């Protein structure tokens, strides 16, 4: 005899118990969270992600970009300074900035306020950009919401600079004989900046750098010069050796600074003549061909324990000695 189930009753399913719809099981799982919020460009439903994908496709179609082409609003030949402190220092030093790129809704502090004030005073355009754009402009460097765009430095021609300086001296427009500084194998922009600064202090008429395998006037060099780069012209030489030969033909005496020189700096008899002072990299010194094109190799007396002097220090000491002798101090 079978017994029928009770009317209105329900039979529970057999098997493993677990959370069912309407229980707190799902709620507890939801409380665990989904981790940190992805960046906007990484969220497939966000417009920033679509912009990123389109930019990558466009870059892939273009292929390699030449140095004179343009990416967005910034030429690749332009230099950028990134970060709040570096940008502020660059503007304080008077670097001829082209534009300031600022993050949208940037968090303001005293540095940002001063940066914006300096840009306003010096008529530097200020443009708002998204973080992905600032990342691209800065080359993925830490920018803290600020990227300063700097145009390429406009170099003078080395031989034209030498000739024009001689003409000014001949017309009585210079207080003393022409004085130039040439760099041989120096690649540190801080050395260049310090040399420009020393040159400004001791009446140098220009600094010559080789066009290849040499330091150039970068933002770092400009900042290190403490604004002197605005007063002392920097010229490029396609071939430093040929330039030294031609400058000597014009009437300059070429002096090389080297520890093994045949003339000691305190006894520099050519101080009153038109001069080109050539300095090499610390440790390596002057290259063989440059030494051959110098009329004198001058050494600075130092303690035997010190093997060599920093290039900018050697130039500063030499320029002080030349300025002192020209002023009649010795």
């Amino acid at each position: 005899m079978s017994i029928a189930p009770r009317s209105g009753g329900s039979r529970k399913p057999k098997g493993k118990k677990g959370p069912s719809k309407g229980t707190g099981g799902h709620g507890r799982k939801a409380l665990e969270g989904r981790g940190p919020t992805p960046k906007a460009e990484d969220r497939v439903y966000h417009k920033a992600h679509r912009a990123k994908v389109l930019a990558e496709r466009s870059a892939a179609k273009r292929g390699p970009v030449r140095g004179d082409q343009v990416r967005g609003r910034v030429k690749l030949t332009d230099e950028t300074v990134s970060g709040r402190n570096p940008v502020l220092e660059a503007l304080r030093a008077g670097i001829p900035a082209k534009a300031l790129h600022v993050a949208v809704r940037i968090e303001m502090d005293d540095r940002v306020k001063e940066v914006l004030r300096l840009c306003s005073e010096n008529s530097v355009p200020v443009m708002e950009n998204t973080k992905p754009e600032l990342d691209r402009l800065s080359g993925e460097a830490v920018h803290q919401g600020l990227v300063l765009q700097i145009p390429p430095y406009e170099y003078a021609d080395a031989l034209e600079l030498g000739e024009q300086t001689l003409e000014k001296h001949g017309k009585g427009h210079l207080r003393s004989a022409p004085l130039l500084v040439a760099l041989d194998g120096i690649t540190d922009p801080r050395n260049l900046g310090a040399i420009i600064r020393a040159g400004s202090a001791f009446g140098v008429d220009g600094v010559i750098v080789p066009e290849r395998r040499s330091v150039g006037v970068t933002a770092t060099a400009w900042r290190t010069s403490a604004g002197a780069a605005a007063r002392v012209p920097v010229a490029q030489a396609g071939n430093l050796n040929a330039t030294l030969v031609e400058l000597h033909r014009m009437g300059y005496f070429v002096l090389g600074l080297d520890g093994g020189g045949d003339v000691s700096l305190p006894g520099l008899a050519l101080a009153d003549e038109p001069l080109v002072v050539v300095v090499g990299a610390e440790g390596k010194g002057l290259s063989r061909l440059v030494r051959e094109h110098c009329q004198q190799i001058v050494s600075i007396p130092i303690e035997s324990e010190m093997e060599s002097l920093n290039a900018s220090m050697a130039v500063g000491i030499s320029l002080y000695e030349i300025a002192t002798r020209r002023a009649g101090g010795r």
Side-chain angles (χ1 to χ4, degrees), residues 55 113 176 321:
K113 291 177 182 178
S176 56
E321 177 67 20

Side-chain angles (χ1 to χ4, degrees), residues 124-148:
V124 177
V126 178
M127 294 179 283
E128 282 191 329
N129 287 105
T130 61
K131 183 181 181 301
E133 179 67 7
L134 292 178
D135 291 340
R136 185 186 66 78
L137 296 179
S138 64
E140 300 300 329
V142 178
H143 53 72
Q144 299 174 300
L146 292 180
V147 177
L148 189 67

Side-chain angles (χ1 to χ4, degrees), residues 29-301:
K29 186 175 181 181
L31 291 175
E32 295 176 2
R34 300 181 181 179
T37 303
K39 295 181 179 179
E41 60 267 27
D42 295 332
R43 292 180 238 161
V44 294
Y45 55 83
H46 200 284
K47 63 180 182 180
H49 175 77
R50 178 171 175 77
K52 177 184 175 182
V53 172
L54 292 175
E56 290 174 349
R57 289 177 182 173
S58 178
K61 290 179 181 179
R62 288 196 304 267
V65 184
R66 300 191 307 272
D68 57 349
Q69 287 181 326
V70 175
R71 283 182 180 171
R73 291 185 293 271
V74 179
K75 288 185 178 180
L76 295 185
T77 51
D78 289 349
E79 187 184 359
T80 58
V81 178
S82 304
R84 300 191 179 193
N85 285 333
V87 168
L88 180 56
E89 291 172 6
L91 291 171
R92 284 174 175 172
I95 293 180
K98 191 173 183 180
L100 174 70
H101 299 266
V102 184
V104 178
R105 294 187 297 276
I106 186 172
E107 183 179 346
M108 300 293 288
D109 62 12
D110 291 340
R111 293 169 297 176
V112 176
K113 291 177 182 178
E114 186 172 355
V115 164
L116 295 176
R117 179 182 62 80
L118 290 172
C119 286
S120 176
E121 292 177 355
N122 295 283
S123 301
V124 177
V126 178
M127 294 179 283
E128 282 191 329
N129 287 105
T130 61
K131 183 181 181 301
E133 179 67 7
L134 292 178
D135 291 340
R136 185 186 66 78
L137 296 179
S138 64
E140 300 300 329
V142 178
H143 53 72
Q144 299 174 300
L146 292 180
V147 177
L148 189 67
Q149 180 187 351
I150 301 172
Y153 182 84
E154 295 185 6
Y155 295 93
D157 178 78
L159 293 180
E160 288 181 2
L161 175 64
E163 189 173 9
Q164 292 170 1
T165 306
L166 283 174
E167 290 178 358
K168 290 180 181 178
H169 181 245
K171 295 178 181 179
H173 296 164
L174 299 179
R175 291 182 296 179
S176 56
L179 178 59
L180 303 175
V181 175
L183 278 56
D184 177 28
I186 293 179
T187 57
D188 189 342
R190 291 168 295 186
N191 260 334
L192 173 59
I195 288 171
I196 295 173
R197 186 173 184 178
S200 176
F202 297 114
V204 165
D205 299 296
V207 175
I208 298 173
V209 297
E211 189 175 338
R212 294 178 295 276
R213 295 185 295 276
S214 175
V215 66
V217 183
T218 64
T220 300
W222 193 290
R223 286 201 307 271
T224 308
S225 77
R231 300 185 294 273
V232 178
V234 179
Q236 277 189 337
N239 184 301
L240 181 59
N241 292 293
T243 299
L244 295 178
V245 170
E246 187 63 21
L247 289 172
H248 179 53
R249 188 194 64 78
M250 290 181 189
Y252 288 88
F253 286 92
V254 181
L255 306 181
L257 299 180
D258 196 274
D262 49 3
V263 176
S264 180
L265 182 63
L268 189 60
L270 294 174
D272 292 324
E273 302 293 334
L275 296 177
V276 180
V277 178
V278 189
V279 61
E282 183 178 0
K284 295 181 180 179
L286 299 173
S287 61
R288 180 182 60 83
L289 289 176
V290 168
R291 288 179 65 95
E292 292 178 359
H293 294 111
C294 294
Q295 281 69 65
Q296 284 186 351
I297 302 297
V298 181
S299 62
I300 301 173

